[in-house]
Amino acid sequence: MKFEKIIDSFDYVQNIIATVEGREVVFQRGDDKFELIIQTLREVTQNSHEMPAFGVSIDDLTREEMKSGVWIELCYKEVNSYEAMDFESLLINIEKDWHGFNLIRKNNEKYDGRCFYLSLQNSMDKLYDVVIDVCNI
């Protein structure tokens, strides 16, 4: 599927893999915790601005970084495309006090290549708190 804005893809997420300090929890569409994460992600990204990404992802380095911190991976049923870049999932590193983030594309089972970037009006604090809470960490 192709999207006009990257945030439009959030409506098609099938499951979310939340990773907190290396521990993974999977939430399926329809689960109250899934819905809370997606709703909070939409709130945080409301009135956001897409900008050129500051970097690219290298699979080995990204997987190493995922061993610590707070992450969510938005997983889709099929391969999607935005700005002529395919993705099967989007990975987000969530940090308090951040006012923007990369959406790291996973394609062909690897976190490789250019990312998307969203600049936010507010911080990611609320999303961070929600993910920590629903993961019971």
Side-chain angles (χ1 to χ4, degrees):
M1 180 171 287
K2 292 184 179 182
F3 302 103
E4 288 189 33
K5 296 187 291 186
I6 193 63
I7 61 173
D8 294 342
S9 73
F10 300 166
D11 294 336
Y12 297 90
V13 173
Q14 292 299 302
N15 62 57
I16 296 170
I17 303 170
T19 306
V20 177
E21 300 304 329
R23 292 183 25 209
E24 288 185 359
V25 181
V26 178
F27 302 102
Q28 301 293 329
R29 176 173 282 289
D31 178 348
D32 290 343
K33 292 177 180 180
F34 172 98
E35 298 301 332
L36 180 58
I37 293 170
I38 286 292
Q39 175 187 344
T40 306
L41 180 61
R42 284 187 185 115
E43 289 173 17
V44 167
T45 58
Q46 187 174 22
N47 299 316
S48 62
H49 300 283
E50 295 178 20
M51 300 180 73
F54 295 128
V56 297
S57 178
I58 299 170
D59 189 64
D60 292 342
L61 298 176
T62 300
R63 290 181 189 277
E64 187 64 31
E65 286 182 27
M66 290 173 64
K67 292 179 181 177
S68 64
V70 178
W71 301 76
I72 57 171
E73 185 169 354
L74 310 175
C75 304
Y76 299 88
K77 189 175 186 177
E78 59 189 23
V79 175
N80 296 293
S81 183
Y82 180 68
E83 297 290 322
M85 294 188 285
D86 292 343
F87 59 94
E88 58 200 39
S89 70
L90 295 171
L91 179 67
I92 302 168
N93 184 11
I94 304 169
E95 291 279 346
K96 283 199 171 227
D97 299 322
W98 279 11
H99 291 356
F101 59 88
N102 281 315
L103 292 115
I104 301 167
R105 295 179 310 117
K106 185 177 187 183
N107 196 35
N108 294 319
E109 296 297 315
K110 291 191 175 195
Y111 303 107
D112 274 336
R114 289 178 44 208
C115 302
F116 306 114
Y117 186 83
L118 287 177
S119 177
L120 307 174
Q121 280 192 328
N122 297 303
S123 74
M124 298 178 79
D125 290 4
K126 184 174 182 180
L127 183 59
Y128 181 96
D129 292 340
V130 164
V131 171
I132 293 293
D133 184 52
V134 299
C135 290
N136 298 316
I137 303 295

